[in-house]
Amino acid sequence: MNILGHPSFAWIPSALYFLFFLREIRVYSQNSEKNQDSPVVSSLSQWLLLPIILLHGVTLHESIFTQQGFIFGFAQALSTMAWIGVTFFWFESWYLPIKGLRAIILLAACVTAILPIIFSGSVLSARSIDDPWFRAHFIVANVAYGLLSLAALHAILMHWQDRHLHMPTHDKANSFFAKWGNRLPPLMSMESILFRIITVGFALLTLTVFSGLFFSQALFGRALFWDHKTIFGFLSWVMFAGLLIARWRVGLRGLTAVRWVLGSFGVLLMAYVGSRFVLEVLIQR
């Protein structure tokens, strides 16, 4: 049974992500002294998340690499970015204190996982699907986008954390965020983790941008041309490069760094997701 051309089980990852999200919200809503999972429960929760991530990956692969060719659109792009982000989070959360990110990542994955069922995308190329080098380029590109989307979510959480720290004590004593914040590392540690993610993501984005020069011919049958996607892609690369240079040379940090991260990621979204959304949904072309 298919739904809009997709296997009928394609909605399952979204539903399961939502159940995990509800569980996280329930944990945060408890009293602060009770909102810590035991090591056994935390480990079990981590392992139960793994098959959902694998199922999400399978449904994505089936919706992108099809018999008709390479199908991609803004929905597939967002879902893939979320899948990479939640996969990276799954691995990193075993070693880094980033479990406070779980709720916002699960919510993003829940929303984006179901989008390819609603917006099926379009065939971009029937030739490059069997090219292993193109597949490698595609994987590297989406890992880069996924890591940088995770960095953007991390930056948003840092902004909320900073605002919470500056609230009057009586306003935040029993707030929902106070209970959530108890599971977050200190702001300086959050900042260190943020730039670690950005550094890896930028390295892969660099490889993506310059390897893309060689695949334009394979995808579209013509050499690189300066359209909105190319311009926004290079602009986002320059902005992330500037961010890392500013961090290295002048120790850029705090809300200025957070705003720079979000601005750079916004431009990166416009490079493909924004343009495809306009074409597929607004213009319907």
Side-chain angles (χ1 to χ4, degrees), residues 262-281:
L262 295 178
S264 302
F265 180 71
V267 173
L268 183 63
L269 274 182
M270 290 301 299
Y272 189 85
V273 176
S275 60
R276 294 304 304 179
F277 178 82
V278 171
L279 289 174
E280 294 175 31
V281 178

Side-chain angles (χ1 to χ4, degrees), residues 5 62-71 122-129:
E62 294 301 312
S63 69
I64 294 173
F65 296 100
T66 70
Q67 294 180 348
Q68 292 77 27
F70 174 68
I71 295 179
S122 57
V123 179
L124 296 186
S125 175
R127 297 176 298 172
S128 59
I129 189 171

Side-chain angles (χ1 to χ4, degrees), residues 17 53-54 56-57 60 78-88:
Y17 281 137
I53 296 173
L54 295 177
H56 185 186
L60 263 178
L78 287 175
S79 186
T80 303
M81 290 165 67
W83 180 74
I84 295 294
V86 75
T87 301
F88 183 81

Side-chain angles (χ1 to χ4, degrees), residues 15-34:
L16 294 177
Y17 281 137
F18 184 68
L19 292 178
F20 263 79
F21 169 74
L22 289 180
R23 178 190 177 277
E24 289 297 304
I25 295 300
R26 182 185 61 80
V27 170
Y28 296 142
S29 299
Q30 294 173 354
N31 294 330
S32 59
E33 65 270 13
K34 297 180 181 178

